Amino acid sequence: MTDPTPPYRTFFAELKRRGVFKVAALYGAVAFGVLQGADIIFPNLGLPERALTVLVVVALLGFPVALLLAWGYELTGQGVKREEPAASGQLKEVEAQPRSARWLAGIAALVFVVLMVGSGWWILARGPGEDFRAGAADASYAARVVVLPFTIRGSGEHDYLGEGIVDVLSRKLDVAGELRGVDPRAVLALVSREGGSTLGPERGREIARRLEADYFVLGAVLEVGGRLQVDASLYDTDGGVEAIAEATAEGSADDVFGLVDGVAAQLLLSTGAGRGGPVARIAAVTTDSLSALKDYLHGERALRAGQYLEAAEAFEGAVAVDPSFALAWYRLSVAYEWLTRDDLVAVAAERAFRHSGRLSERDRRLLEATVAARLGDRVRAEQQYRTIVGSYPDDVEAWFQIGEVLFHYGPLEGHSIAQSRQAFERVLFYEPDHVNSIIHLARIAAVEGDTAKLDSLVGRFLALNPEADRAVELRALRAFVTGDSAEQRGALADLRRVSDPALLVTVAYVPVIALDFEAGMALSEVLTEGGRAPGMRSLGHIYRGYLSVTQGRLDAAAAELAAAERFDSYRATEFGAFFSMLPFIPASTEELRGMRRRIAALDPDTVPPITHPSGYIRAHEEVHRHVQAFLLGVLSARLGDYTSARRYADDLRGLESPERSLSLPEDLAFGVMAYVAMLRGESAAGLEQLERAQMQSFYQNAFQSPFYSGSLQRYLRAMLLEDVGRLDDALRWYGSFEQVSMYDLVFLAPSQLRRAEIYERLGELDEARRHYARFVELWSACDPELRPLVEQAEQRLAGLAANG
């Protein structure tokens, strides 16, 4: 009798019997998980973009292989057995038979593991010496090329092209998409370190290999009678002494960009890299003005040398000549950042972003990451920078900015600045004279108490440029960390002669990094001296007031704030009122009411504008109304007036966000409500409020104001985490006050005490003893009203010592 079952049903039943559907589903799930993980992990490992593409291709190729194996074979206890098709008369019996999932997983896993291992070997083993066309055929792979300084012959008028052509031609090749120019800064640093003699193929090959490049370019510029001839030769790093491509362009000295375009196009076409379409003019991604280019190159040299004011002036000259010079705008924003010109950092970055169509893809991605960092979006910025170094492992700026993000934003979440060390050391690998990385590594050495390392780094910096803007900071840091009294006197004398930016950074940073409060008092006294601007004199007294509270000396702090009011009453009141909100500072009801009346009487519309350009003095320029509402909200909460506190929180949410901290109004509102919840004993509710806050603010703002840094909210968060039993998280947040700013130091001693108590609860007695001892040391000279806390800590410390 003929089987009435249709053939397609028989086929699908056979697929089901053999487990093909299950293998397909399992393989798809495993492949999706692996690819998602690779998408996150590969950039952090520094792997090129092509690595992920390879995994995608391999996963797709492996899919039909897995299905074929499932159709033809079965894994059994006796080994691999070939499948036999079911007879048509047994169809119902076959459909009813259960299948074991073990061999299905085995087939999928076996195929996937074999293919992944093979593709991993291919990714890691594929060397830079492969044929260029093979690499160019893969859209995810771009060969790396080093452009070495050109030899200049003729009048000295065009000497700037020796190094300048490294920059413009590298960017030109980047735009082509099939070559990637090694970072010009890494190239110039390596060439400079090894001497500036004429480069030939052998030395060029050595430099290219050290920079892990596939190719290198040598060239010369000849000037005769106002005309230029540019010659360039492309060499394979693993090849011989003969060039694999040559290019020549000749023309007027006024058409340097056209000559570079011609040379680049010839090199690209002769390798096959430029056959996909027209090659954009270099002016489209830099500038078409020779004058602007010269200023830009001058600014780059000054920035590398740590001469930030000179760099800013050069970049300002470049954008004045060519207002659409996006790269110069971007580097100008970096120079302004080092000059603490917070008001201009965002302006320059915005201009760069406006003209980002004239940036290469690489520079555009770098700018986008930098904008994220300056908005305080640490996570997104770090991810974007790491993606860049995944594609361009020699990108000096991206590595440096990774270090900046970790150094400046990490401590706000309880992470040490030392986590940035690897990024800065990577910068020095490519550019050993990178003074800005040396500054950060010296600060890390100071925090870790490694005086030998600190001395070595400071000596290295001063040997490179003893007149650099930050030289006085490093000399002062070394003097106070090592306790060299003679050098301390010299540093204080130097401070009286340097520019305001160098003075302000030194006074603000050295006490925080060295954790030396007497040094802080001596340094900030320089700001208070006669002849300085009122804003600086007020800031000096405010710093001294915060250092006094850090040591538990409340009366001394009040005297310093009173002195600050003589020079800037409004800002002194804002910073002084912050002390009334500290939960560990005793305050009577009458004192709190008096402070609330005083803050309510302030009129932000009457605050006189600050003429001094530094962000250290202009910190609250855009946010006086925000600060006022926050102070009134927290003071109302401390007075038990929860209705008013909620009203001020609502007022905060209705205020406009400042450009440099878009989340500030909401963050301050969450802080007020968390304070209310804490005082009402609603720890979980208060913690929920604080965990909703984004706390995204440009790190320089956080460094210049406790209202931007959210120090009170961070301390409340640690307290609430402790209340709900999340002790490890509480310890981390209690540890977020040591390496941030002068203002955050007021929480240092109380956080030491809270950590000591937690460690004692956890039975970690060595840590408990260490933190109790540190608390006692910090408040050893505290005022009488705080003395009971010190005595209790001394008793606990004695008890722990007696118990061994």
Side-chain angles (χ1 to χ4, degrees), residues 77-149:
Q78 291 73 41
V80 180
K81 184 178 75 174
R82 185 175 178 84
E83 276 281 5
E84 298 294 337
S88 60
Q90 299 173 321
L91 177 60
K92 292 184 179 180
E93 178 184 351
V94 166
E95 289 177 336
Q97 291 178 350
R99 301 286 295 169
S100 170
R102 181 178 301 173
W103 69 271
L104 301 177
I107 286 179
L110 179 63
V111 171
F112 200 76
V113 167
V114 169
L115 291 172
M116 290 303 103
V117 170
S119 62
W121 172 86
W122 186 87
I123 291 168
L124 297 174
R126 179 165 171 151
E130 283 193 67
D131 178 74
F132 176 80
R133 291 170 181 78
D138 179 2
S140 67
Y141 175 73
R144 302 175 69 233
V145 58
V146 167
V147 179
L148 294 164

Side-chain angles (χ1 to χ4, degrees), residues 342 412 539 542-543 546 574-575 578 615-621 623 627 630 664 668 695 697-714 740-744:
D342 300 356
L412 291 167
L539 181 63
I542 290 170
Y543 278 164
Y546 273 74
E574 286 179 327
F575 280 104
F578 185 78
Y616 287 86
I617 297 173
R618 301 166 57 94
H620 297 158
E621 197 72 357
V623 295
V627 170
F630 180 64
L664 183 68
L668 294 177
M695 302 303 292
S697 180
F698 182 35
Y699 80 84
Q700 286 200 351
N701 294 343
F703 189 73
Q704 295 159 6
S705 166
F707 301 100
Y708 274 114
S709 75
S711 54
L712 176 64
Q713 296 95 304
R714 299 194 331 263
V740 179
S741 76
M742 197 92 80
Y743 303 110
D744 280 20

Side-chain angles (χ1 to χ4, degrees), residues 271-287:
T271 61
R275 301 186 192 280
V279 180
R281 279 181 50 82
I282 190 66
V285 292
T286 54
T287 178

Side-chain angles (χ1 to χ4, degrees), residues 110-310:
L110 179 63
V111 171
F112 200 76
V113 167
V114 169
L115 291 172
M116 290 303 103
V117 170
S119 62
W121 172 86
W122 186 87
I123 291 168
L124 297 174
R126 179 165 171 151
E130 283 193 67
D131 178 74
F132 176 80
R133 291 170 181 78
D138 179 2
S140 67
Y141 175 73
R144 302 175 69 233
V145 58
V146 167
V147 179
L148 294 164
F150 276 37
T151 302
I152 309 298
R153 301 187 182 94
S155 67
E157 181 182 355
H158 301 286
D159 285 350
Y160 73 96
L161 286 175
E163 293 186 0
I165 213 163
V166 177
D167 191 286
V168 296
L169 185 53
S170 296
R171 296 184 189 281
K172 175 73 174 184
L173 297 175
D174 248 4
V175 173
E178 296 168 354
L179 284 173
R180 283 183 179 161
V182 171
D183 193 329
R185 293 166 60 179
V187 175
L188 294 174
L190 182 55
V191 172
S192 174
R193 188 167 74 254
E194 297 191 348
S197 59
T198 302
L199 297 173
E202 288 305 319
R203 186 151 177 261
R205 180 170 289 106
E206 178 185 345
I207 291 172
R209 283 175 175 168
R210 291 182 63 177
L211 293 170
E212 300 178 348
D214 304 73
Y215 301 93
F216 64 96
V217 174
L218 293 172
V221 177
L222 175 64
E223 187 267 336
V224 178
R227 292 184 65 80
L228 297 181
Q229 178 178 313
V230 181
D231 300 311
S233 300
L234 180 69
Y235 294 84
D236 190 326
T237 303
D238 291 335
V241 296
E242 297 297 325
I244 62 173
E246 294 183 339
T248 298
E250 183 178 353
S252 168
D254 295 332
D255 190 25
V256 169
F257 299 108
L259 299 179
V260 173
D261 286 332
V263 166
Q266 292 175 54
L267 292 178
L268 290 168
L269 289 171
S270 60
T271 61
R275 301 186 192 280
V279 180
R281 279 181 50 82
I282 190 66
V285 292
T286 54
T287 178
D288 54 8
S289 166
L290 279 179
S291 177
L293 177 64
K294 290 178 182 178
D295 284 336
Y296 166 77
L297 295 172
H298 180 192
E300 280 295 300
R301 287 193 295 272
L303 202 57
R304 289 199 298 270
Q307 302 286 10
Y308 308 117
L309 181 58
E310 183 179 340

Side-chain angles (χ1 to χ4, degrees), residues 25 30 65 81 107 129 167 185 206 271 295 313 339 353 412 435 615 658 700 722 745 758 796:
V30 173
V65 176
K81 184 178 75 174
I107 286 179
D167 191 286
R185 293 166 60 179
E206 178 185 345
T271 61
D295 284 336
E313 290 173 347
L339 289 170
F353 206 78
L412 291 167
V435 294
Q700 286 200 351
E722 184 181 354
L745 291 179
I758 291 175
R796 293 305 311 145

Side-chain angles (χ1 to χ4, degrees), residues 596-614:
R596 186 169 66 167
R597 286 194 298 270
R598 187 176 179 188
I599 298 300
L602 295 176
D603 184 356
D605 294 331
T606 65
V607 183
I610 293 288
T611 57
H612 197 284
S614 176

Side-chain angles (χ1 to χ4, degrees), residues 370-377 380 409 659-660 662 696-698:
T370 302
V371 169
R374 286 172 181 164
L375 291 175
D377 192 345
R380 184 160 65 97
Y409 292 106
E659 290 184 3
R660 292 171 290 171
L662 299 179
Q696 291 185 348
S697 180
F698 182 35

Side-chain angles (χ1 to χ4, degrees), residues 240-462:
V241 296
E242 297 297 325
I244 62 173
E246 294 183 339
T248 298
E250 183 178 353
S252 168
D254 295 332
D255 190 25
V256 169
F257 299 108
L259 299 179
V260 173
D261 286 332
V263 166
Q266 292 175 54
L267 292 178
L268 290 168
L269 289 171
S270 60
T271 61
R275 301 186 192 280
V279 180
R281 279 181 50 82
I282 190 66
V285 292
T286 54
T287 178
D288 54 8
S289 166
L290 279 179
S291 177
L293 177 64
K294 290 178 182 178
D295 284 336
Y296 166 77
L297 295 172
H298 180 192
E300 280 295 300
R301 287 193 295 272
L303 202 57
R304 289 199 298 270
Q307 302 286 10
Y308 308 117
L309 181 58
E310 183 179 340
E313 290 173 347
F315 292 131
E316 286 170 347
V319 298
V321 174
D322 182 358
S324 63
F325 193 172
L327 196 58
W329 278 116
Y330 166 65
R331 299 300 283 166
L332 178 58
S333 76
V334 173
Y336 283 151
E337 183 177 345
W338 281 92
L339 289 170
T340 71
R341 293 296 308 273
D342 300 356
D343 56 326
L344 297 179
V345 168
V347 172
E350 187 275 330
R351 293 290 183 87
F353 206 78
R354 184 187 305 174
H355 301 292
S356 59
R358 295 191 68 179
L359 291 173
S360 67
E361 178 63 24
R362 175 180 184 172
D363 289 326
R364 189 179 303 114
R365 290 161 62 187
L366 193 63
L367 175 61
E368 290 171 353
T370 302
V371 169
R374 286 172 181 164
L375 291 175
D377 192 345
R378 170 200 171 172
V379 174
R380 184 160 65 97
E382 184 180 352
Q383 288 176 343
Q384 290 176 325
Y385 285 130
R386 290 196 180 279
T387 299
I388 293 170
V389 298
S391 302
Y392 300 90
D394 53 63
D395 193 301
V396 173
E397 183 67 13
W399 277 114
F400 178 73
Q401 292 298 339
I402 289 172
E404 284 274 85
V405 169
L406 297 175
F407 186 97
H408 292 294
Y409 292 106
L412 291 167
E413 297 180 358
H415 304 296
S416 171
I417 61 174
Q419 68 176 347
S420 65
R421 179 191 287 108
Q422 183 182 10
F424 292 127
E425 289 177 343
R426 188 64 176 267
V427 172
L428 294 183
F429 173 80
Y430 291 113
E431 191 177 324
D433 296 344
H434 194 281
V435 294
N436 298 334
S437 291
I438 295 174
I439 291 171
H440 287 81
L441 289 171
R443 293 170 177 169
I444 293 171
V447 163
E448 295 180 335
D450 190 341
T451 54
K453 185 70 171 178
L454 172 63
D455 184 63
S456 172
L457 288 164
V458 173
R460 182 175 173 183
F461 180 96
L462 297 176

